[in-house]
Amino acid sequence: MKIVKKILIALLIVFVIAQFFGPEKNTGDLASVQPFLTETNPPEDVAAILKETCFDCHSNHTRYPWYDNITPVNYWLAEHVNDGKKHFNVSVWNDYSVKKKDHKLEELIEMVEEKEMPLDSYLWTHEEANLTDAQIESVMNWANNMRVIYGLVPRPE
C-alpha cells in the first residue's frame, strides 16, 4: 500500500507542476475574420452560425472556456484548434487563391452536410453549436452560392 500512496503523491505533484505550463493560445484579433465575412457576405443567420460554431477552431481567435486553464485539457484543445486552422482558417482567407477558396467551401459543405462539423467533442460543451437541419441548409446554400460566384461551379438550372 505504501508504494501506491507514493505513486499517487508523485502523480499529484506532477499534475500540480504541469499547471504552470501550457500551449500557446490562439488569441489573435477577432477582426481577422472580417475580410472573410466581407468577401463571402453571408446572410445574418449564417454569419451568426459561423461565429458561434466555426471561428473558435477555424480562425486566429479562440474564445477559451474555463477548463482550458487545466493541463492537459489545454493541450488537447490547442491540438484541435491547430488542426482546425490547418484545414480551414478564415483569418487567412485573403491568402487563398480563388480555386482554394472554392475547395474550402466545397469541404465546408461536405463536412456540415455529413454532420462531421462541428466536432462532437466541441458539441459536448457548446450545445448552441449543434446545428438544426434548417441551419445546415442555410450554410450549405450560402456556400454553394459563393462557389457559383467564384465561377468554378456552374449555376444550377
Side-chain angles (χ1 to χ4, degrees):
M1 190 62 150
K2 278 186 169 186
I3 190 80
V4 172
K5 188 175 180 181
K6 287 181 180 181
I7 291 172
L8 289 175
I9 289 172
L11 287 174
L12 179 62
I13 290 169
V14 168
F15 179 77
V16 169
I17 291 170
Q19 300 314 301
F20 293 100
F21 303 94
E24 186 176 328
K25 294 198 183 266
N26 188 43
T27 57
D29 191 359
L30 185 57
S32 67
V33 304
Q34 197 54 50
F36 168 80
L37 293 172
T38 300
E39 181 175 321
T40 61
N41 194 26
E44 207 171 295
D45 63 325
V46 173
I49 291 167
L50 294 170
K51 288 176 184 175
E52 194 64 46
T53 64
C54 305
F55 291 172
D56 277 347
C57 295
H58 297 284
S59 78
N60 290 340
H61 177 78
T62 300
R63 298 169 299 155
Y64 286 98
W66 65 268
Y67 51 83
D68 179 66
N69 294 315
I70 302 170
T71 299
V73 175
N74 52 9
Y75 283 96
W76 179 71
L77 288 172
E79 176 58 33
H80 274 279
V81 170
N82 290 335
D83 189 53
K85 286 172 51 177
K86 180 178 72 176
H87 291 288
F88 179 49
N89 185 349
V90 297
S91 294
V92 296
W93 187 253
N94 285 344
D95 297 342
Y96 294 163
S97 67
V98 171
K99 186 175 180 179
K100 188 170 185 176
K101 289 175 181 180
D102 176 70
H103 180 68
K104 295 300 179 184
L105 290 170
E106 180 182 28
E107 288 178 332
L108 181 148
I109 292 164
E110 180 182 322
M111 299 300 275
V112 170
E113 182 176 35
E114 294 176 7
K115 297 185 178 184
E116 292 182 30
M117 283 288 152
L119 294 174
D120 288 337
S121 58
Y122 187 77
L123 296 174
W124 295 339
T125 55
H126 298 87
E127 188 176 306
E128 70 282 357
N130 196 3
L131 300 177
T132 66
D133 290 340
Q135 289 173 313
I136 290 170
E137 187 173 336
S138 292
V139 169
M140 289 173 46
N141 287 339
W142 159 77
N144 276 316
N145 286 339
M146 281 310 305
R147 293 187 71 213
V148 169
I149 289 170
Y150 286 136
L152 300 176
V153 174
R155 281 198 191 281
E157 300 292 324

